[in-house]
Amino acid sequence: MKREINPNDFNLAAIDIGSNAARILIKNVKLSTDDDGKPSVRLKKLQFLRIPLRLGMDVFSIGRISEEREKQLMRTMKIFRQLLVIYNVEDYRACATAAFRDAKNGKKILKQIYSKAKLDIEIVTGDEEAKIIRDNHVQEDGKNYLYMDVGGGSTELSLISDGKLVAVRSFNIGTIRLLIESVSTEQWNEMGEVVRNLTEGYENINIIGSGGNINKLHRLTPKREKKKECLMVSTLNKLYNHLSVLSLEERMKQYDLREDRADVIVPAAQLFLMVAGIINTDTIIVPTMGLTDGIINELVEKTLNNR
């Protein structure tokens, strides 16, 4: 018999099926009210699991998810489903991003996952992905921010000025695409031109970076930068120059990186450096929160609005 849900103490889950990896994040939510009667929310991470499926390796080269990776995906989704049951999750949202947006057999596979693993997964647009990520962060009024999320299949940019959304752009340029050389020079130059036009007239823009690669790059920096939740562009440039001349095996050994991180971390650094150079910023803010955190926050907001 299913345990009765405590309306003020429950668990929520977020699933992100990206081009490089699939992730599930489960958090406990405790709701209360402060002395003024306003709702107070406390979140505690219960589980986080990342599986490097690398769907983009198939999709960005042959246009579809191969049979072998489809099997791996199905096994992973069945595990995720069991975690929802084990943690007695009250509500969840599962999002598939760039690889599924491009995969010819993506919708068919999602129907099979719903049938066999009982998971309802939606394919989100680049704009929706960017919205979830940027809504996850708090920015100060009176300042300019460029939210930059770099994934395996796409890069999402959101320009915020004085607390207001100015523009959103999504580019089919990501670390997996760059790794397998499926990004043309024209696409790269076009992204640079769009960034120039988008940010023209805005001064002192702060980049807020998200994604597993910028988080890892931040963790490779000196302790004084880690404490400030920022990554100096000059430090990133030094890291990029060093990492880019190392072999995959050397990166894994010297920096204690998994293979599926050691290969994509260089094109990720390249993307951030390109944008930072165009807008002439010396710092990237790294709050180490991504799509799954944003989904959880949306679910919490949905819960509060339904009360």
Side-chain angles (χ1 to χ4, degrees):
M1 187 172 67
K2 188 176 180 180
R3 180 174 65 86
E4 183 179 349
I5 296 291
N6 182 339
N8 296 312
D9 187 349
F10 52 90
N11 299 333
L12 298 174
I15 295 173
D16 167 21
I17 305 173
S19 302
N20 195 32
R23 306 166 184 82
I24 182 169
L25 173 65
I26 301 175
K27 286 189 176 184
N28 173 253
V29 183
K30 284 185 171 60
L31 301 179
S32 59
T33 55
D34 60 22
D35 295 338
D36 296 325
K38 296 180 180 179
S40 175
V41 180
R42 284 189 297 165
L43 299 176
K44 179 182 179 181
K45 182 169 73 174
L46 300 178
Q47 178 65 259
F48 178 78
L49 180 62
R50 177 185 181 275
I51 307 294
L53 296 172
R54 318 218 84 177
L55 301 177
M57 287 293 191
D58 288 343
V59 177
F60 307 140
S61 57
I62 62 175
R64 58 188 290 111
I65 297 170
S66 67
E67 184 177 347
E68 180 56 35
R69 278 204 167 87
E70 181 182 345
K71 290 179 181 177
Q72 294 174 358
L73 174 62
M74 183 63 74
R75 296 187 193 109
T76 300
M77 293 303 103
K78 287 180 178 179
I79 292 171
F80 284 7
R81 177 61 191 174
Q82 286 304 308
L83 286 173
L84 297 184
V85 174
I86 291 168
Y87 284 94
N88 200 38
V89 169
E90 179 180 359
D91 196 9
Y92 76 93
R93 186 182 183 188
C95 297
T97 57
F100 268 92
R101 290 197 289 266
D102 287 10
K104 296 175 183 176
N105 57 343
K107 292 182 179 179
K108 178 182 177 182
I109 289 174
L110 292 187
K111 288 181 180 178
Q112 293 174 342
I113 290 173
Y114 183 75
S115 174
K116 297 179 181 179
K118 307 304 179 187
L119 276 179
D120 187 10
I121 302 168
E122 59 183 302
I123 301 174
V124 295
T125 66
D127 287 355
E128 172 67 7
E129 185 179 355
K131 179 182 182 301
I132 295 170
I133 293 165
R134 71 170 179 269
D135 286 352
N136 191 40
H137 308 296
V138 178
Q139 63 278 331
E140 297 179 39
D141 290 345
K143 292 188 177 182
N144 299 320
Y145 296 91
L146 187 66
Y147 287 86
M148 182 173 178
D149 179 68
V150 174
S154 64
T155 295
E156 276 68 47
L157 298 177
S158 299
L159 180 62
I160 305 287
S161 180
D162 195 18
K164 297 179 181 178
L165 177 64
V166 176
V168 179
R169 297 290 185 273
S170 180
F171 304 90
N172 285 334
I173 299 177
T175 57
I176 295 290
R177 292 189 200 262
L178 288 168
L179 196 64
I180 64 175
E181 300 181 345
S182 69
V183 176
S184 67
T185 302
E186 290 75 15
Q187 286 176 295
W188 183 264
N189 291 337
E190 181 184 1
M191 179 178 175
E193 189 62 27
V194 169
V195 173
R196 288 186 190 91
N197 294 334
L198 183 68
T199 58
E200 187 177 4
Y202 294 91
E203 298 180 351
N204 302 319
I205 300 174
N206 297 281
I207 292 180
I208 298 178
S210 67
N213 287 297
I214 195 66
N215 293 342
K216 175 57 72 173
L217 286 162
H218 180 243
R219 286 194 287 271
L220 297 178
T221 61
K223 290 183 179 180
R224 62 181 179 275
E225 291 187 37
K226 291 178 191 175
K227 290 180 180 179
K228 295 179 180 179
E229 286 195 343
C230 69
L231 173 56
M232 300 302 295
V233 173
S234 58
T235 303
L236 177 59
N237 192 51
K238 289 177 183 177
L239 273 171
Y240 170 73
N241 289 334
H242 190 228
L243 287 163
S244 61
V245 298
L246 297 177
S247 68
L248 182 64
E249 291 74 20
E250 288 170 333
R251 288 178 210 160
M252 292 170 64
K253 183 177 180 180
Q254 290 189 30
Y255 289 95
D256 191 25
L257 299 173
R258 300 185 310 269
E259 183 177 355
D260 64 287
R261 180 66 69 200
D263 56 0
V264 294
I265 200 168
V266 169
Q270 185 183 13
L271 273 164
F272 278 101
L273 286 171
M274 185 262 279
V275 173
I278 291 173
I279 68 173
N280 194 30
T281 185
D282 60 3
T283 306
I284 299 172
I285 301 167
V286 187
T288 64
M289 298 179 78
L291 184 62
T292 51
D293 297 281
I295 292 172
I296 292 288
N297 288 345
E298 278 196 342
L299 292 173
V300 171
E301 190 69 23
K302 172 184 167 184
T303 300
L304 293 175
N305 290 338
N306 288 339
R307 293 186 165 231

